[in-house]
Amino acid sequence: SQKIEQNSEALNIQEGKTATLTCNYTNYSPAYLQWYRQDPGRGPVFLLLIRENEKEKRKERLKVTFDTTLKQSLFHITASQPADSATYLCALEVNTGKLIFGQGTTLQVKP
Amino acid sequence: DGGITQSPKYLFRKEGQNVTLSCEQNLNHDAMYWYRQDPGQGLRLIYYSQIVNDFQKGDIAEGYSVSREKKESFPLTVTSAQKNPTAFYLCASRGGDQNSPLHFGNGTRLTVT
């Protein structure tokens, strides 16, 4: 079955550093991958989408890479701020219309 | 303001009772989704619907039922057959093509005792 894995351990970093989160997947060749941010008690909010033919995508301080050979996406937040503290989720469309999520990685940025 | 509304925010039920969670969207999106989230875990797909009057089971559909009689509404019923119904339930919608992102509501936290 399709599987998406993210680092289950929380990531703690110092303000100003770069945070790097990992999303690995198996048994599937997705056409694209999405990243979302979720704050406690709220629904996830879409951040970025990267297609299989794109190696890298940027949006302000965010950068996503997609390696279809390794079956891995990396999500980077540069110059991190305490306001970036949240849980970050990756998602894939495994069948038409069916999107599944990883378990999420919680990021804590300390001032 | 366009968006997805889930109600209520908190819901309490006794074991053995069915309960229906509401999800309404005014984004004119064709596709709608229900996910379940347990503490410290990611989202697991319960049901999804790509068009009115049609829906498919997700990965954990047992003990749940849905209907999609109107484009803007996708209610989820948690039946007494669901073994562990206490969870945070998230509804989402998606429009446009298959690359489009999901738009989520702010969830309903269901507690069954």
Side-chain angles (χ1 to χ4, degrees), chain A residues 2 31-32 34 36 38 41-46 49 51 87 89 93 95-104, chain B residues 9 33 35 37 40-43 45 48 50 57-59 88 90 94 98-102 104-107 109:
Chain A
Q2 306 95 354
Y32 64 88
Q34 298 179 351
Y36 291 77
Q38 185 178 25
R42 306 295 296 267
V45 174
F46 171 75
L49 178 149
R51 293 180 175 81
T87 297
L89 300 147
E93 185 158 1
N95 288 313
T96 302
K98 182 181 179 183
L99 275 85
I100 64 171
F101 285 77
Q103 72 269 42
Chain B
K9 178 85 174 160
Y33 298 77
Y35 292 89
Q37 188 172 34
Q41 297 193 31
L43 279 62
L45 182 62
Y48 62 108
Q50 296 187 76
K57 291 182 179 179
D59 295 323
F88 187 48
L90 286 159
R94 183 167 77 160
Q98 289 183 4
N99 288 338
S100 301
L102 295 179
F104 282 88
N106 277 324
R109 191 168 298 279

Side-chain angles (χ1 to χ4, degrees), chain B residues 10-15 85-87 89 108-113:
Chain B
Y10 299 96
L11 192 53
F12 298 89
R13 280 294 182 271
K14 295 288 186 188
E15 196 173 321
T86 295
Y89 290 89
T108 291
R109 191 168 298 279
L110 173 65
T111 302
V112 177
T113 56

